[in-house]
């Protein structure tokens, strides 16, 4: 077989092309953004669950909220400290975090997470859609 | 065996490229539909299923029709069909692929399609439909492919295939039965609310499927050195003749029940389709054409002279395919939605983009069918060389 | 243990198989099996075994009187208004006698009754065919109060429920509705394209102790209550008046009753 150089050459070209996104973006990574807390959120001091938990699990918590509200008709959330909240993305979460663009979108955009929450839920802070 | 599909002459490749072009164009239309929503179709609040679901229903029939060669060969040991069973099975695969594509293009939120299996719901007929359709696709792929490969290697097919073959026979009946149950179990839709809907679907399926298969056999004979056989084609033609007769008979049964009982809910849809209701009669010429075509089809397939002459038989098949397609593809679905539950009339006609996407799905099916038939015919030629 | 908590535990029970998820599991389920978070109905929420509605059609003479009732619903639920009739979304709307009750086409009907406008909406059937048809349980009959409700997050837009509903109560979002909502209610979500929607008996208002928007706007012509509470106002009206329902013969057991 004398095709060795073609095969190896072809493989090399393939690998280089395949790895394009990696070497093209090498060293250009934008720093991870930090979510900005609104005045209201700062004033409240704490969220429905501890910050660490919210940072890691907010999407799961929202999923559980949604199931409870829509499917089980239970709309009140009582956290481990016994504090009660009405489960509503639009009316509870966004009430404190009234800066969706700075608080939600910034990170989602950075991580390329395309959530469909806002197809239906209204960002009140924008006033009018 | 796949390598057989990439060895073709210029015409073959031109056909493949043409199909790909059509699929590509339709895909762009589909992207538009994804972005805008199903509003680019002619469907409405009242006629909430249209061209996509109608063609889906028709093609489930074509897929089920494949069993009309499988059953005589494997169950009654009708040897002659041995030459063409794989053509029937591959036709079923192509048809099922189109069915699944039609379901997908009809969904408002296609990205969520796996919810059907994520939240399995046995009380929904649609859940069962996804199971029987995918199961039938799987069965035909496994059986068709392995039997063909065995033929190529000049050995008997593997014994473990037997159960799959036998299961595939009632399974073919099940796909069209379950598809009929989608419609006929719904209260308040008088047109579909009839126990004869599944049998009627099957009758039209066993006419349309084998009719298409006859045309494909004639085509294969013309373009290759493999002859599916005169006896085989004639046997299929008899199946078509019986089935189209039964189909029209079942339809007349419906007409009798609706009009002799004189129950408005049952009559209204038929009136709408064949005479027009309150001045609305978009489908009237189509429905009469369909009935006429089916009757002509009966005459041409029952009469021995026109059945035995392969030229007239081919025309009879075309007539039957078009007739049953109008019946099921245009009348059956919109007919059930007009008039609506409040007895208002809002008619439906597909829009151009909707028709374009439909053609694209047919092109995708044709592509699958072309490749599979290329392989099958290649093997047949090889074995006979 | 109630079902929502069970589903939470099930969900995290699975993820907790990986040790990494352990702290998370604890946060949801609590240490030592004690609940760390839980879900309840609000204290002021209205409760019923099966919500039902009685519409006293005698109190309506012209379509104008229904206008504010329909408008109240449209506003509360961000119902869009489309020029194209094919794309129409309707939760509660006005129709004529023979459209509302096509199976009761009495001849020579009292002119007054025949010319009255009739309100139609989802019947929240006790045997809902739409819920039978839905392949994902995106529409379901809520166990707690019998409301037939939609989970818009789960709907795949197959429209089987629309074919199954014998009352034409369901609408499909043929396109993004948001640009067509005359006046956005910021307290309620909109819908996205590609999902089915319909009347929800104002589940969001019941949770706050309020009656449905249409009932509130009807000035007493529409009464709402528990079908299985003999003392409810609904039952009182059913006892005292001859009522009919739409397409009773289909056995879906509609929960919207009409006094004619």
């Amino acid at each position: 077989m004398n095709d060795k150089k073609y095969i190896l050459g072809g493989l090399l070209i393939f690998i280089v092309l395949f790895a394009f996104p990696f070497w093209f973006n090498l060293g250009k990574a934008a720093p991870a953004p930090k979510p900005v807390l609104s005045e209201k959120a700062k004033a409240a001091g704490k969220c429905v669950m501890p910050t660490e938990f919210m940072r890691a699990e907010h999407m799961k918590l929202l999923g559980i909220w949604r199931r409870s509200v829509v499917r089980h008709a239970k709309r009140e959330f009582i956290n481990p400290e016994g504090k009660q909240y009405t489960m509503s993305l639009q009316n509870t979460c966004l009430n404190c975090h009234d800066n969706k663009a700075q608080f939600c979108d910034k990170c989602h955009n950075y991580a390329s997470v395309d959530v469909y929450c806002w197809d239906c839920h209204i960002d009140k802070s924008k006033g009018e859609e | 065996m796949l390598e057989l599909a990439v060895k073709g002459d210029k015409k073959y490749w031109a056909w493949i490229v043409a199909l790909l072009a059509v699929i590509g164009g339709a895909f762009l239309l589909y992207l538009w539909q994804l972005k805008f929503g199903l509003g680019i179709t002619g469907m409405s609040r009242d006629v909430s299923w249209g061209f996509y679901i109608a063609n889906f229903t028709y093609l489930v029939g074509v897929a089920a029709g494949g069993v009309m060669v499988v059953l005589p060969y494997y169950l009654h040991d009708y040897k002659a069909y041995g030459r063409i069973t794989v053509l029937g099975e591959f036709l079923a695969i192509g048809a099922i692929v189109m069915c699944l594509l039609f379901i997908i293009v009809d969904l408002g939120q296609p990205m969520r399609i796996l919810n059907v299996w994520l939240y399995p719901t046995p009380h929904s007929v649609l859940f069962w439909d996804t199971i029987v359709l995918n199961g039938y696709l799987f069965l035909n792929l496994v059986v068709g492919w392995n039997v063909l490969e065995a033929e190529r290697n000049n050995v008997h097919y593997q014994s473990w295939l037997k159960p799959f073959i036998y299961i595939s026979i009632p399974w073919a009946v099940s796909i069209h039965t379950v598809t009929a149950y989608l419609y006929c179990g719904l209260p308040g839709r008088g047109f579909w609310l009839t126990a004869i809907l599944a049998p009627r679907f099957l009758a039209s399926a066993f006419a349309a499927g084998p009719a298409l298969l006859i045309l494909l056999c004639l085509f294969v004979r013309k373009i290759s050195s493999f002859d599916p056989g005169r006896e085989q084609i004639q046997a299929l033609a008899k199946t078509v003749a019986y089935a189209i007769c039964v189909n029209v008979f079942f339809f007349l049964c419906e007409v009798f029940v609706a009009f002799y009982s004189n129950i408005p809910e049952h009559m209204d849809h038929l009136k709408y389709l064949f005479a027009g209701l309150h001045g609305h009669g978009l489908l009237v010429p189509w429905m009469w054409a369909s009935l006429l075509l089916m009757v002509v089809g009966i005459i041409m397939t029952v009469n021995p002279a026109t059945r035995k002459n392969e030229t007239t038989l081919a025309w009879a098949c075309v007539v039957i395919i078009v007739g049953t397609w109008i019946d099921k593809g245009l009348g059956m679905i919109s007919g059930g939605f007009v008039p609506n539950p409040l007895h208002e009339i809002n008619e439906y006609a597909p829009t151009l983009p909707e028709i374009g996407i439909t053609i694209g799905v047919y092109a995708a099916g044709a592509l699958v069918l072309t490749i599979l038939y290329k392989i099958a015919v290649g093997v047949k030629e090889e074995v006979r060389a | 243990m109630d079902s929502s908590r069970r589903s939470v535990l099930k969900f995290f029970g699975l993820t907790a198989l990986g040790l990494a998820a352990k702290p998370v599991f604890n946060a949801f389920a609590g240490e030592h099996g004690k609940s760390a978070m839980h879900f309840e109905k609000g204290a002021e929420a209205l409760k019923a075994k099966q919500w039902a509605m009685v519409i006293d059609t005698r109190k309506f003479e012209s379509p104008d009187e229904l206008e504010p009732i329909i408008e109240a619903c449209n506003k509360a639920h961000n119902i869009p208004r489309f020029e194209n009739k094919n794309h129409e979304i309707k939760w509660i709307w006005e129709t004529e006698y023979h459209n509302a009750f096509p199976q009761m086409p009495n001849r020579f009907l009292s002119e007054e009754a025949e010319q009255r406008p009739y309100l139609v909406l989802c019947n929240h059937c006790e045997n809902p065919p739409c819920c039978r048809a839905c392949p994902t349980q995106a529409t379901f009959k809520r166990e707690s109060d019998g409301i037939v409700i939609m989970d818009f997050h789960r709907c795949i837009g197959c429209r089987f429920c629309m074919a199954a509903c014998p009352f034409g109560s369901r609408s499909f979002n043929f396109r993004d509705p948001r640009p067509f909502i005359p006046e956005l209610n910021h307290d309620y979500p909109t819908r996205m394209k590609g999902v089915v929607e319909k009347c929800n008996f104002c589940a969001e208002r019941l949770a706050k102790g309020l009656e449905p928007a249409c009932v509130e706007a009807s000035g007493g012509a529409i009464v709402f209550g528990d079908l299985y509470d003999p003392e409810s106002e609904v039952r009182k009206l059913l006892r005292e008046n001859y009522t009919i329902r739409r397409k009773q013969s289909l056995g879906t057991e509609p929960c919207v009753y009409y006094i004619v």
Side-chain angles (χ1 to χ4, degrees):
Chain A
M1 293 297 232
N2 338 324
D3 298 341
K4 197 172 161 189
K5 60 180 177 203
Y6 295 112
I7 292 171
L8 286 180
L11 268 178
L12 192 70
I13 292 171
F14 172 75
I15 289 168
V16 169
L17 285 180
F18 191 76
F20 172 81
F22 297 101
W23 55 258
F24 184 77
N25 286 320
L26 210 61
K28 281 193 272 189
K34 281 220 152 56
V36 180
L37 283 178
S38 65
E39 290 310 316
K40 255 182 161 177
K42 270 185 204 154
K46 54 169 92 165
C47 198
V48 296
M49 290 289 280
T51 309
E52 281 311 308
F53 179 89
M54 291 309 290
R55 199 168 282 161
E57 308 292 343
H58 62 278
M59 59 299 256
K60 282 180 195 146
L61 187 69
L62 284 171
I64 286 164
W65 276 24
R66 136 179 128 192
R67 198 163 19 201
S68 175
V69 170
V70 177
R71 305 195 74 89
H72 304 293
K74 292 185 178 165
R75 291 178 184 248
E76 298 300 315
F77 172 72
I78 294 115
N79 76 3
E81 291 173 12
K83 211 157 173 295
Q84 184 169 335
Y85 301 88
T86 299
M87 290 181 274
S88 168
L89 172 64
Q90 203 168 308
N91 299 330
T92 303
C93 302
L94 288 191
N95 195 26
C96 247
H97 300 288
D98 54 7
N99 54 342
K100 170 177 162 285
Q102 290 297 307
F103 187 74
C104 310
D105 299 349
K106 227 176 165 185
C107 282
H108 289 161
N109 290 343
Y110 176 76
S112 197
V113 176
D114 193 8
V115 296
Y116 64 84
C117 309
W118 319 111
D119 287 0
C120 298
H121 295 279
I122 299 167
D123 173 15
K124 296 178 167 188
S125 62
K126 270 205 301 195
E128 187 59 31
E129 182 68 31
Chain B
M1 293 190 292
L2 263 178
E3 78 279 5
L4 291 169
V6 292
K7 280 185 244 157
D9 57 9
K10 268 198 180 137
K11 270 188 195 161
Y12 172 73
W13 285 110
W15 170 243
I16 296 276
V17 169
L19 285 179
L20 286 172
V22 173
I23 294 168
F27 188 70
L28 292 180
L29 287 174
Y30 180 64
L31 289 180
W32 176 26
Q33 181 186 294
L34 263 187
K35 195 166 185 321
F36 185 92
L38 281 162
I40 67 164
T41 70
M43 287 184 271
S44 63
R45 196 177 182 281
D46 287 332
V47 185
S48 47
W49 280 335
F51 217 42
Y52 299 147
I53 290 297
N55 279 293
F56 153 79
T57 310
Y58 183 75
L59 288 164
V60 173
V62 172
V67 82
M68 284 290 104
V69 285
V70 174
L71 187 146
Y73 177 61
Y74 288 108
L75 232 51
H76 300 295
D77 204 22
Y78 178 58
K79 290 264 175 359
Y81 272 171
R83 281 164 87 95
I84 58 165
T85 43
V86 74
L87 298 186
E89 284 155 353
F90 282 0
L91 173 60
I93 293 174
I96 291 281
V97 166
M98 288 188 266
C99 291
L100 296 174
L101 286 173
F102 272 123
I103 292 273
I104 291 169
V105 298
D106 186 65
L107 291 180
Q109 285 291 336
M111 287 74 74
R112 299 182 188 163
I113 190 169
L114 288 177
N115 278 1
V116 176
W117 290 328
L118 208 56
Y119 308 104
T121 309
H123 55 69
S124 171
V125 183
L126 201 56
F127 166 72
W128 291 107
D129 215 29
T130 62
I131 290 179
V132 290
L133 287 176
N134 283 294
Y136 194 60
L137 178 63
F138 168 79
L139 283 172
N140 277 290
L141 271 175
V142 169
V143 173
W145 193 266
N146 281 298
V147 172
L148 187 67
E149 196 155 47
E151 185 176 340
R152 189 185 199 191
N153 299 331
N154 216 358
V155 292
H156 193 269
Y157 56 82
Q158 304 92 314
S159 54
W160 59 262
L161 274 177
K162 270 266 154 142
F164 288 97
I165 291 167
Y166 289 135
I167 290 171
S168 81
I169 293 168
W171 203 287
V173 178
S174 84
I175 62 168
H176 221 18
T177 305
V178 174
T179 303
Y181 285 1
L182 287 176
Y183 309 108
C184 70
L186 306 177
R189 302 278 179 191
F191 188 55
W192 300 330
L193 191 69
T194 158
I196 213 176
L197 198 70
R200 196 178 153 197
F201 272 18
L202 284 166
S204 112
F206 293 157
L212 183 55
L213 195 55
I214 289 175
L215 292 179
L216 289 169
C217 284
L218 292 172
F219 180 71
V220 163
R221 177 199 282 161
K222 203 168 166 190
I223 56 138
S224 77
S225 63
F226 167 62
D227 179 6
R230 191 181 153 74
E231 185 197 339
Q232 285 79 351
I233 289 174
Q234 283 304 313
L236 274 175
K238 282 176 202 151
T239 304
V240 174
Y242 280 118
I244 190 70
C245 289
V246 173
N247 188 40
V248 172
F249 168 67
F250 282 170
F251 168 71
L252 294 174
C253 291
E254 299 271 31
V255 173
F256 171 79
V257 170
F259 285 90
Y260 194 82
S261 72
N262 202 38
I263 298 173
E265 282 169 76
H266 293 263
M267 290 190 296
D268 287 341
H269 300 279
L270 283 168
K271 277 188 191 160
Y272 165 69
L273 288 175
F274 285 90
L277 200 61
H278 308 313
H280 299 275
L282 204 59
L283 289 172
V284 173
W286 290 92
M287 294 315 290
W288 282 108
S290 158
L291 201 57
L292 184 74
L293 288 169
M294 289 197 283
V295 170
V296 170
I298 289 178
I299 296 169
M300 290 178 81
T301 49
V302 171
N303 173 19
T306 43
R307 185 179 65 237
K308 285 178 183 158
N309 177 331
E310 284 184 349
T311 315
T312 47
L313 176 63
W315 279 109
C317 289
V318 172
V319 161
I320 286 170
I321 289 170
V322 176
T324 49
W325 181 80
I326 296 173
D327 176 36
K328 238 173 177 171
L330 288 179
M332 184 59 71
I333 303 305
S334 16
F337 282 115
V338 186
N340 78 358
L342 286 94
H343 217 275
E344 297 155 336
I345 298 182
N346 285 308
E347 297 192 277
Y348 161 82
T351 59
L352 282 178
E354 194 175 3
I355 293 171
I357 292 172
T358 303
I359 292 173
V361 173
Y362 272 102
L367 182 66
V368 171
L369 196 67
T370 304
I371 292 169
L372 290 175
Y373 267 45
K374 181 87 175 84
I375 294 170
V377 170
V379 168
K380 300 278 184 187
E381 282 180 324
E382 224 176 72
V383 172
R384 277 159 187 80
Chain C
M1 181 158 52
D2 65 70
S3 55
S4 61
R5 225 172 83 73
R6 196 162 348 138
S7 63
V8 171
L9 287 181
K10 207 159 81 186
F11 179 70
F12 283 99
L14 289 174
T15 44
L17 288 176
L19 274 181
K22 188 128 192 321
V24 182
F25 179 74
N26 289 344
F28 279 95
E31 314 252 5
H32 320 297
K34 259 178 74 183
S35 175
M37 59 164 73
H38 57 281
F39 312 95
E40 277 175 9
K41 271 197 174 166
E44 68 278 35
L46 299 180
K47 295 180 184 79
K49 188 159 176 247
Q50 168 68 58
W51 289 116
M53 186 178 267
V54 178
I55 301 178
D56 191 345
T57 64
R58 297 170 305 187
K59 296 197 172 145
F60 300 117
E61 271 166 22
S62 76
D64 299 343
E65 293 163 43
L66 304 187
E67 192 62 29
I69 300 174
I70 298 167
E71 217 24 63
C73 171
N74 288 355
K75 227 180 233 167
H77 300 113
N78 287 324
I79 309 290
R81 191 175 296 153
F82 289 111
E83 289 297 314
N84 185 343
K85 201 168 178 295
N86 281 359
H87 300 164
E88 217 174 14
I89 307 273
K90 295 193 279 198
W91 283 27
I92 180 169
W93 70 101
E94 179 249 320
T95 190
E96 292 175 31
Y97 176 84
H98 66 271
N99 295 118
F101 305 100
Q103 288 168 326
M104 292 183 238
N106 263 13
R107 306 173 74 191
F108 317 119
L109 198 71
S110 123
E111 246 170 61
E112 186 268 322
E114 196 176 9
Q115 281 163 6
R116 247 178 247 161
Y118 290 81
L119 276 173
V120 286
L121 66 161
C122 170
N123 280 299
H124 297 274
C125 303
E126 289 190 74
N127 302 316
C130 54
C131 300
R132 249 182 346 253
C134 179
T136 62
Q137 297 151 52
T139 193
F140 57 98
K141 191 157 180 69
R142 209 158 72 170
E143 278 174 32
S144 55
D145 54 9
I147 295 182
V148 173
I149 206 165
M150 284 288 307
D151 185 344
F152 300 114
H153 309 92
R154 195 185 279 189
C155 176
I156 60 173
C158 71
R159 310 189 294 298
F160 200 1
C161 55
M162 295 177 78
C165 175
F167 305 103
S169 297
R170 292 176 163 268
S171 309
F172 179 73
N173 286 280
F174 281 98
R175 58 184 303 183
D176 181 13
R178 213 176 261 192
F180 300 90
I181 298 167
E183 198 185 320
L184 210 56
N185 169 12
H186 285 87
D187 295 328
Y188 196 77
T190 65
R191 261 70 59 201
M192 68 199 299
K193 65 169 184 272
V195 297
V196 172
E197 65 178 89
K198 62 165 205 73
C199 158
N200 65 350
F201 259 3
C202 283
E204 81 286 358
R205 288 174 59 93
L206 297 176
K208 288 190 223 152
L210 299 167
E211 294 211 301
C214 58
V215 175
E216 198 179 83
S218 74
I222 307 178
V223 170
F224 192 74
D226 187 354
L227 189 63
Y228 288 99
D229 173 7
E231 303 307 316
S232 71
E233 210 183 331
V234 158
R235 284 287 291 274
K236 187 169 164 275
L237 282 173
L238 292 180
R239 250 195 321 269
E240 290 166 3
N241 297 277
Y242 175 70
T243 52
I244 57 172
R245 290 180 289 169
R246 298 172 68 198
K247 302 190 181 180
Q248 291 152 281
S249 64
L250 297 180
T252 69
E253 299 294 348
C255 289
V256 177
Y257 292 75
Y258 294 85
I259 303 175
V260 279

